[in-house]
């Protein structure tokens, strides 16, 4: 069986081994639960980020994790700025920036990536992934925004230390530049490919 969506291509043997989480309930609830139980590390990587809807609760959980001493890295694309300008009021945008500022003050590593071009839709960072300790969520197309949790989409959950270690160690370095497809992880049952997103090939 195989799935290709967004920036990921995963091949796997059995669906029950890698649970599929839907956006409406399973995924945000799983994120909040796992973040609240985190003891070591959290990576949130997305194209678009905000603090609306369920994302407010997820970022609250992130703040609690930092208070416990958990290492937190958030990576998001500059395209977020366009969404903020179009969809949010100035007050909502100010609140979001204040929340990010407080997270940074509390020790969260926040990285804003993506190329600046005349065409605002080019050079975007499309990878979407969450790693919490030894659990990772990839494979689907869910951005970390409240609105994304209301779409018909999903993410795959991998309860695998080796996969989580690989993604946590490799993904941040791929956030700024990705010019070719690259296999990030491979074993006897699973191959995880980070798609470069080339036109006609993605």
């Amino acid at each position: 069986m195989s799935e290709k969506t967004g920036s990921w291509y995963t091949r796997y043997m059995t669906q029950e081994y890698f649970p599929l989480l839907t956006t409406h309930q399973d995924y945000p609830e799983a994120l909040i639960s796992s973040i609240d139980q985190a003891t070591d590390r959290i990576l949130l990587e997305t194209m678009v980020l905000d603090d609306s809807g369920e994302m407010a609760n997820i970022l609250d959980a992130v703040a609690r994790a930092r208070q416990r001493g958990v290492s937190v890295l958030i990576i998001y694309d500059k395209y977020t700025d366009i969404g903020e300008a179009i969809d949010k009021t100035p007050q909502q945008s100010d609140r979001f920036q204040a929340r990010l500022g407080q997270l940074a003050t509390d020790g969260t590593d926040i990285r804003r990536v993506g190329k600046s071009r005349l065409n605002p839709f080019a050079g975007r960072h499309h990878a979407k992934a969450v790693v919490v300790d030894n659990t990772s969520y990839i494979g689907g197309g869910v951005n970390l925004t409240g609105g994304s949790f209301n779409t018909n989409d999903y993410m795959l959950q991998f309860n695998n230390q080796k996969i989580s270690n690989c993604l946590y160690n490799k993904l941040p370095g791929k956030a700024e530049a990705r010019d070719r497809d690259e296999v990030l992880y491979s074993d006897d049952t699973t191959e995880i490919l980070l798609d470069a997103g080339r036109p006609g090939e993605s």
Side-chain angles (χ1 to χ4, degrees):
M1 183 181 293
S2 66
E3 288 287 345
K4 184 168 185 179
T5 177
S7 299
W8 299 99
Y9 178 57
T10 52
R11 288 203 295 267
Y12 48 92
M13 299 299 290
T14 62
Q15 180 59 53
E16 62 183 359
Y17 183 52
F18 302 130
L20 183 149
L21 303 178
T22 58
T23 48
H24 295 293
Q25 290 184 335
D26 299 342
Y27 187 44
E29 290 180 359
L31 288 187
I32 293 170
S33 177
S34 61
I35 290 170
D36 274 336
Q37 297 177 60
T39 60
D40 181 26
R41 63 188 180 184
I42 296 169
L43 166 65
L44 303 178
E45 185 161 356
T46 185
M47 177 178 169
V48 189
L49 178 72
D50 71 17
D51 66 344
S52 67
E54 286 289 352
M55 271 310 300
N57 297 325
I58 291 169
L59 291 177
D60 285 345
V62 167
R64 293 192 294 270
R66 270 304 305 147
Q67 292 172 0
R68 298 193 306 273
V70 177
S71 174
V72 180
L73 169 59
I74 298 176
I75 300 172
Y76 71 98
D77 193 270
K78 296 175 183 176
Y79 186 79
T80 291
D81 299 342
I82 297 176
E84 288 289 302
I86 294 174
D87 299 327
K88 309 298 182 185
T89 66
Q91 293 80 8
Q92 289 172 322
S93 295
D94 290 345
R95 183 191 65 196
F96 174 58
Q97 292 303 323
R99 183 189 285 266
L100 291 184
Q102 185 60 55
L103 286 171
T105 297
D106 292 341
T108 297
D109 183 358
I110 300 177
R111 303 180 192 177
R112 187 168 163 270
V113 301
K115 298 178 180 178
S116 297
R117 296 179 176 176
L118 291 177
N119 179 357
F121 301 102
R124 301 278 58 87
H125 171 73
H126 286 278
K128 303 163 186 72
V130 174
V131 177
V132 182
D133 289 344
N134 294 323
T135 298
S136 49
Y137 305 87
I138 62 169
V142 186
N143 278 297
L144 294 175
T145 69
S148 295
F149 293 122
N150 295 322
T151 61
N152 185 20
D153 213 327
Y154 67 90
M155 298 290 274
L156 297 174
Q157 177 179 323
F158 292 77
N159 299 311
N160 182 302
Q161 183 177 3
K162 290 183 178 179
I163 290 176
S164 295
N165 286 345
C166 179
L167 296 176
Y168 187 84
N169 291 328
K170 290 185 176 181
L171 281 175
K174 307 296 180 185
E176 284 287 4
R178 194 170 81 249
D179 58 3
R180 60 185 175 84
D181 294 351
E182 182 175 348
V183 175
L184 296 183
Y185 177 86
S186 180
D187 62 22
D188 292 341
T189 64
T190 307
E191 184 175 274
I192 299 175
L193 173 77
L194 186 60
D195 184 349
R198 293 180 178 179
E201 297 181 8
S202 179

